[in-house]
Amino acid sequence: MTYTVREELKPAGLNGISDDQINDHWNLYKGYITQSNALKEQLETMRENGQGGTPEYMDRRRRFGFEFCGMTLHEFYFGNLKAGVNLDENGAFAKAVSESFGSLDKWKEDFAAAGKSRSIGWAICYVDPMTGDLNNHFIQLHEEGNIAGFNPVLVMDVWEHAYMVDHKAGGRPDYINAFLSNVNWDVVEKRLADAKAQGSAKRF
Ligand SMILES: [Fe+2]
């Protein structure tokens, strides 16, 4: 199989994140798909040719992790952006983060702070599907630091390419505010419910 562009995930008409910005970013996302497919094929060919133990194969496998996670994280990111969806303050997500952080506002403050980490990367709110506990993490490179067995429920790209069309290099705080005003909370709630419903959550 090959991976294809998930056009249905492309957001438009956001508040404070322009369509030009999204279009520019979308082209980068397409590049991750192209590279993931190309590397997958190269790895298959190398295995068939008995090159599976070579340094070249190992380098390409590591590269595949970067491209593949770049693809999937962008799908989570674009898929959780939509203008005009209100958060249900009595819903499961608000309840879960209030239990973990003390209140919804404290969770939001912590998530924004993760996004302001002095690095390129991602702020991700994960749910531990075994316990239902939610936590915020900062992931620097796409493939390094994702939490094994946890499910992303809200993903925010804070690589500079995510906001440089609309803001300058110092504009990350404004971008984070814009991001948080465009979250598709319906998607977040669904991801949370789906994660908790999975049989794999038991980790046995
Ligand atoms: Fe990105």
Side-chain angles (χ1 to χ4, degrees):
M1 54 85 59
T2 54
Y3 295 97
T4 54
V5 177
R6 303 274 311 278
E7 291 291 348
E8 72 277 17
L9 300 177
K10 188 176 182 182
L14 302 176
N15 300 310
I17 302 175
S18 69
D19 287 352
D20 282 349
Q21 173 69 75
I22 293 294
N23 287 335
D24 210 50
H25 201 170
W26 192 257
N27 287 332
L28 295 179
Y29 158 60
K30 287 186 187 171
Y32 286 109
I33 295 172
T34 303
Q35 290 301 317
S36 291
N37 286 327
L39 282 163
K40 190 164 175 283
E41 198 176 316
Q42 284 175 30
L43 289 167
E44 283 167 7
T45 302
M46 290 179 83
R47 282 196 302 277
E48 285 165 7
N49 293 337
Q51 297 172 302
T54 62
E56 290 78 12
Y57 184 90
M58 291 173 201
D59 283 346
R60 259 172 241 186
R61 172 156 43 204
R62 290 176 65 179
R63 188 74 198 168
F64 179 64
F66 176 81
E67 302 289 355
F68 187 81
C69 290
M71 174 181 73
T72 56
L73 284 177
H74 279 97
E75 288 170 355
F76 279 114
Y77 169 74
F78 289 122
N80 59 214
L81 279 171
K82 189 176 180 183
V85 182
N86 291 322
L87 170 66
D88 178 0
E89 297 199 355
N90 298 310
F93 178 81
K95 188 166 174 283
V97 293
S98 296
E99 280 171 11
S100 296
F101 288 85
S103 70
L104 182 58
D105 284 345
K106 284 182 180 167
W107 165 80
K108 193 181 277 190
E109 191 181 318
D110 187 73
F111 185 79
K116 291 172 191 168
S117 300
R118 289 183 56 77
S119 170
I120 54 165
W122 301 82
I124 302 181
C125 180
Y126 289 92
V127 59
D128 178 349
M130 190 169 77
T131 65
D133 192 40
L134 283 122
N135 226 324
N136 297 324
H137 293 263
F138 184 78
I139 308 305
Q140 187 174 7
L141 295 176
H142 311 319
E143 80 283 27
E144 292 178 2
N146 290 289
I147 314 300
F150 283 28
N151 293 57
V153 294
L154 181 63
V155 173
M156 178 169 69
D157 193 339
V158 293
W159 287 58
E160 270 125 3
H161 65 240
Y163 55 88
M164 282 293 281
V165 171
D166 290 337
H167 304 281
K168 293 188 177 172
R172 196 188 293 186
D174 291 337
Y175 159 72
I176 290 172
N177 286 338
F179 174 89
L180 286 168
S181 71
N182 289 286
V183 173
N184 188 340
W185 294 109
D186 292 343
V187 163
V188 171
E189 294 284 3
K190 184 163 187 340
R191 288 176 183 168
L192 181 58
D194 286 351
K196 289 203 269 189
Q198 283 177 3
S200 60
K202 293 175 190 166
R203 287 204 287 282
F204 60 88

